[in-house]
Amino acid sequence: MFHTFLIKYGEIGVKGKNRHLFEDALIRQIRFALKDLDGAFAIRKEQGRIFVDASEDFDEDEVIAKLKTVFGIVGFCPVMQTEKKDIPALIEDVVRYVRQVHGDAQKTFKMNVRRADKDFPSTSMELNCEIADVLLDTFPNLSVDVHEPDIMLTVEIRNEVSVYSEIIPGPGGMPVGTAGKAMLLLSGGIDSPVAGYMVAKRGVMIDAVYFHAPPYTSERAKNKVIDLARILSTYTGPIRLHIVNFTEVQLYLHEHCPDDELTILMRRYMMRIAEHFAKESEALGLVTGESIGQVASQTMQSMLVTNEVCTLPVYRPLVGFDKNEIISVAEKIGTYETSIQPFEDCCTIFVAKHPVTKPRLDVIRRSEDKVAEAIAPLVEQAVKETEILVVR
Ligand code: ATP
Ligand code: MG
């Protein structure tokens, strides 16, 4: 087991003067991800590389699991790091590494020496050959394959020498904190947690808003959403979750509006309230888990009508996803099992059997005009009484 991990991050968007912002954000997110683990971790930035050094008493599996949650990491490698010495000593280190990691397994390999220190005697090419010769002599189980090797044995010569052959994939994306903030409409369903994950993956900080309708929706439904926010927060960092009591607004709509328009009217009020909190949190956009055509409220006509009440952009990262594609992401990020717990959602309680699938904006606006004055104080009340939890 090695105590150092080399962090690989994407180069795209990381050029020029933004580079150190990206790296600093990445280091901050790595530190955040590791902060509750056993052991102490030092993170250092050196010559265009980020390394994580772990103290003696750390759990490798735990660290690997955590690093897989940090956006911006393309991959990471457990490395053997040694002092820079002469060439025979370097080769001895590589032999020791191969013995420890690959033992006597039958494998093909390719050498990949990278010499950032140009003062080091011998070129990369010469070192590749020299090291490979010794390995072939020492390990009868190894052979060379330069096209499709089982192991790419990398030796990086910088201030120190790093030897590694395993790259564990990270989630990719951009470190959270390098873009702005967005307000996620988080329900207890499968889709919205995935939507939040996708946007956070681009470096966006996430706050969330959840609408419930007690006593028609239960405390357990609310706790499920808090659980989902907590799982999301392992990727995004702490989430300020706004829990809005939507009962009065929904009851009023239910009693005074045409049945088949309820969903769309309710969604317009949800968007307005979400936008209110977005602006309060200085978020630059809203995020939903909608996907075109998935249900009646997600036809293009319906989304046009709900979108109309928003002035902030509404990001719908799942717009082109089929349900099974969304589910496979939910499984990968660990939200699926929680999402499928069968608790009632506020949207499903008051909805019609046959909601309009192609609402007309003028018709909906006319219906809304009739109730707008009476609803305004209910909305205001709901906003005022909103509970805010910081979930981490
Ligand atoms: P999800 O799986 O995310 O619940 P869904 O397929 O059930 O989505 P809808 O109920 O039409 O679809 O909701 C569409 C989107 O509206 C959700 O993805 C979410 O962003 C938002 N939304 C729906 N209900 C709520 C709620 N109770 N609180 C907050 N946001 C909600
Ligand atoms: Mg839902």
Side-chain angles (χ1 to χ4, degrees):
M1 183 169 78
F2 303 114
H3 289 239
T4 298
F5 295 89
L6 164 64
I7 307 293
K8 301 205 163 204
Y9 46 94
E11 296 293 315
I12 300 161
V14 189
K15 303 256 188 283
K17 65 183 192 318
N18 286 330
R19 186 183 177 104
H20 77 276
L21 293 177
F22 179 98
E23 290 170 337
D24 291 350
L26 184 56
I27 289 171
R28 213 169 36 241
Q29 293 305 114
I30 293 171
R31 192 167 288 134
F32 176 78
L34 300 178
K35 76 177 170 16
D36 295 327
L37 298 189
D38 288 340
F41 301 93
I43 303 166
R44 61 196 154 91
K45 188 163 99 174
E46 255 171 40
Q47 298 176 298
R49 287 269 185 256
I50 291 175
F51 293 99
V52 176
D53 294 313
S55 63
E56 296 296 319
D57 53 345
F58 81 109
D59 179 334
E60 186 174 28
D61 292 341
E62 256 181 18
V63 172
I64 289 174
K66 283 291 183 186
L67 290 176
K68 283 184 171 183
T69 68
V70 179
F71 295 129
I73 297 182
V74 171
F76 53 99
C77 316
V79 302
M80 181 178 87
Q81 228 166 31
T82 62
E83 263 171 63
K84 201 160 48 183
K85 291 165 269 182
D86 55 9
I87 292 173
L90 172 91
I91 294 177
E92 224 170 90
D93 285 340
V94 177
V95 168
R96 193 156 50 84
Y97 172 90
V98 171
R99 181 167 292 124
Q100 184 176 341
V101 175
H102 301 290
D104 52 11
Q106 289 291 335
K107 284 179 185 172
T108 60
F109 76 101
K110 177 182 179 180
M111 280 310 302
N112 176 32
V113 172
R114 296 202 194 171
R115 195 179 52 126
D117 174 2
K118 299 296 175 204
D119 293 336
F120 198 76
S122 305
T123 64
S124 306
M125 278 306 283
E126 289 163 351
L127 284 167
N128 276 334
C129 296
E130 266 184 84
I131 299 172
D133 282 344
V134 174
L135 292 179
L136 290 170
D137 284 344
T138 315
F139 299 97
N141 51 307
L142 292 187
S143 56
V144 171
D145 181 345
V146 291
H147 300 295
E148 278 184 62
D150 298 326
I151 24 178
M152 175 73 98
L153 186 57
T154 301
V155 178
E156 290 191 8
I157 303 168
R158 295 168 186 271
N159 291 339
E160 294 147 314
V161 176
S162 303
V163 184
Y164 60 92
S165 58
E166 186 190 7
I167 301 183
I168 302 165
M174 308 282 282
V176 171
T178 51
K181 187 196 287 177
M183 183 62 71
L184 169 67
L185 283 88
L186 181 62
S187 71
I190 296 168
D191 306 334
S192 45
V194 174
Y197 174 91
M198 302 283 293
V199 169
K201 185 172 173 214
R202 299 307 305 159
V204 178
M205 282 188 285
I206 298 289
D207 277 350
V209 52
Y210 164 60
F211 297 88
H212 68 155
Y216 304 96
T217 62
S218 66
E219 195 67 14
R220 293 205 303 173
K222 169 177 148 183
N223 287 331
K224 169 178 160 181
V225 173
I226 296 172
D227 288 344
L228 286 171
R230 191 168 294 123
I231 299 169
L232 256 191
S233 75
T234 58
Y235 304 94
T236 64
I239 295 175
R240 272 167 66 86
L241 174 62
H242 302 69
I243 301 173
V244 183
N245 184 332
F246 206 42
T247 311
E248 293 301 322
V249 175
Q250 280 195 299
L251 282 176
Y252 195 90
L253 290 171
H254 187 60
E255 281 157 21
H256 297 88
C257 300
D259 230 32
D260 60 349
E261 294 175 3
L262 274 181
T263 305
I264 213 85
L265 288 167
M266 185 193 69
R267 294 194 61 77
R268 281 166 64 96
Y269 280 103
M270 275 190 178
M271 296 308 264
R272 286 188 178 99
I273 294 173
E275 179 159 297
H276 168 87
F277 289 121
K279 288 180 173 166
E280 207 174 78
S281 303
E282 295 179 352
L284 302 175
L286 302 173
V287 180
T288 74
E290 290 161 310
S291 157
I292 294 174
Q294 199 188 75
V295 289
S297 60
Q298 296 176 24
T299 61
M300 288 187 73
Q301 291 84 350
S302 297
M303 289 202 272
L304 183 149
V305 176
T306 32
N307 210 83
E308 193 233 2
V309 302
C310 303
T311 59
L312 290 177
V314 181
Y315 295 98
R316 299 180 172 89
L318 309 185
V319 66
F321 278 38
D322 295 340
K323 195 74 184 186
N324 57 355
E325 293 170 307
I326 300 172
I327 288 174
S328 74
V329 181
E331 285 172 335
K332 186 184 82 184
I333 68 174
T335 52
Y336 183 71
E337 288 303 320
T338 305
S339 287
I340 57 172
Q341 288 171 18
F343 299 131
E344 64 298 319
D345 182 44
C346 75
C347 308
T348 49
I349 288 168
F350 299 100
V351 299
K353 281 210 182 61
H354 303 289
V356 279
T357 53
K358 293 181 182 164
R360 278 180 38 194
L361 189 54
D362 54 340
V363 175
I364 296 293
R365 272 191 187 147
R366 228 175 297 134
S367 301
E368 200 176 80
D369 282 345
K370 290 186 196 144
V371 296
E373 207 175 317
I375 289 215
L378 303 179
V379 168
E380 205 176 308
Q381 184 79 0
V383 166
K384 212 168 75 196
E385 288 173 1
T386 291
E387 180 189 354
I388 301 178
L389 292 179
V390 179
V391 181
R392 56 181 95 228

